[in-house]
Every structure is written in C-alpha cells, then in structure tokens.
Amino acid sequence: NLLSSKIESPTTVISQALSRSNRRPMQSLNNLLRTANSAPENLRDQARSGLKSSILEWAMTSGGGTSRTFSPRELYDRLFTKIPNADTDVSLVNWMVDNKVMPEREVKQLRTWLTEMVKLEASQSTGDIGELVEKTGPILDFYLRITGSALGTRAQSMMTGGQGGPGALVAA
C-alpha cells in the first residue's frame, strides 16, 4: 500500500512506486495520480505539483544528487527512459505530460539543461572540459556547484591522506 499512514515522505512513496521490485509501477503511479486528482478542487493543482516535485526529487536523489556521486546521465535516464517494469515504453516525463502533472515547456527546459550537463559530465570524465567551458555559460556554473563540493572534498582528502579538519569545509 503506497499511501500507508506509516510513510511520511512523498518521495519515499515515489521511490516505492518506481522501485525495480515493483512489478506494476504504472498502476502505482496512476493510483498516486488518482489521489492527487481526487483532492478538493481548490487543492488539485497543488496536489499535482506535489506529485511532480516528489518525482523530480526521487529522480535527483536516484541520480546521486544528494551524494558525491551525482550523475546528470543517471538523472536523465531516470526521467527520459522507459520506466522499469512498465508495460509500455513510457518515460516518467512523458507520463507526467500525458497526465497534466508537468507541462511540455518544462520538459523541454529540463531536457536542454540535462543534455548540456551530460555533455559536461562526459567532458569531465575524458579531460576535455576546457574547450567546453567556453561554450556553456550558466549551465557549467550550475553543474560545478553541484559537483564542486564533491570534487573539493576529494581533492582535500587526497592532499591530507583522508584526514578531516578545518580545511574540509573550505575544500567542500
């Protein structure tokens, strides 16, 4: 039961709905949508917005957004590729657009940002980030803010042999 009284986090509910062990993710998502659409009329838009936010937070967390292993590629895959165990080839963003949870214009913006961030991630891993820096502008700044903390922490760890201390916060 995804809407159990024991679960307080909407993101945890989404995580359960989209877990690989759930054999019916579409049924779970549609049940959550039905719940949002059953909200009182004056709260319905907020309920759908909350569903969208929870899905995006789940995708960001699944992509490592809350850890040192953030991967724009993983985030992109969570949102734009087929939902695991789904009986159709629908992606999360397509499901959200089809069900009026997320407008198409937001999907286009999200796809553009993530595509650029995936390019940056690939350039970083191959060491070709220098030439890409000149072309990207604010997207690079956003990517570096997300990954910079992890990079700073790793560099500090390498310089100090893994020892923490006053410089750890500055490095992050």
Side-chain angles (χ1 to χ4, degrees), residues 119-129 143:
K119 289 177 189 175
L120 290 168
E121 180 181 35
S123 293
Q124 181 184 20
S125 68
T126 61
D128 296 333
I129 200 162
Y143 176 72

Side-chain angles (χ1 to χ4, degrees), residues 55-67:
I55 290 170
L56 293 175
E57 183 177 339
W58 168 83
M60 183 73 164
T61 301
S62 296
T66 58
S67 71

Side-chain angles (χ1 to χ4, degrees), residues 8-168:
E8 294 183 19
S9 167
T11 305
T12 300
V13 173
I14 297 299
S15 179
Q16 290 178 347
L18 296 172
S19 75
R20 295 200 183 272
S21 63
N22 184 359
R23 296 289 171 216
R24 297 180 181 178
M26 299 314 299
Q27 180 180 350
S28 297
L29 284 172
N30 289 331
N31 287 342
L32 293 170
L33 177 65
R34 195 171 10 268
T35 300
N37 286 337
S38 297
E41 191 171 335
N42 62 332
L43 299 175
R44 213 166 283 154
D45 287 341
Q46 287 179 323
R48 279 193 292 268
S49 179
L51 179 59
K52 174 180 78 172
S53 295
S54 296
I55 290 170
L56 293 175
E57 183 177 339
W58 168 83
M60 183 73 164
T61 301
S62 296
T66 58
S67 71
R68 296 180 184 184
T69 60
F70 174 67
S71 170
R73 175 86 234 159
E74 288 294 320
L75 176 56
Y76 185 94
D77 287 346
R78 297 288 187 275
L79 293 170
F80 290 96
T81 62
K82 178 185 181 289
I83 298 170
N85 299 327
D87 45 4
T88 64
D89 285 339
V90 69
S91 70
L92 271 174
V93 292
N94 288 341
W95 180 85
M96 288 193 289
V97 168
D98 291 347
N99 289 288
K100 297 177 180 33
V101 173
M102 185 175 201
E104 182 67 39
R105 66 179 165 69
E106 286 182 19
V107 171
K108 287 179 182 177
Q109 291 171 336
L110 185 61
R111 184 186 310 269
T112 299
W113 275 76
L114 284 175
T115 300
E116 291 301 315
M117 289 176 69
V118 167
K119 289 177 189 175
L120 290 168
E121 180 181 35
S123 293
Q124 181 184 20
S125 68
T126 61
D128 296 333
I129 200 162
E131 61 190 59
L132 197 56
V133 167
E134 298 171 14
K135 300 176 188 175
T136 56
I139 294 173
L140 175 64
D141 183 51
F142 180 67
Y143 176 72
L144 291 176
R145 286 175 193 257
I146 292 172
T147 61
S149 175
L151 292 172
T153 302
R154 274 184 262 162
Q156 188 269 343
S157 178
M158 287 172 49
M159 291 187 302
T160 63
Q163 300 296 316

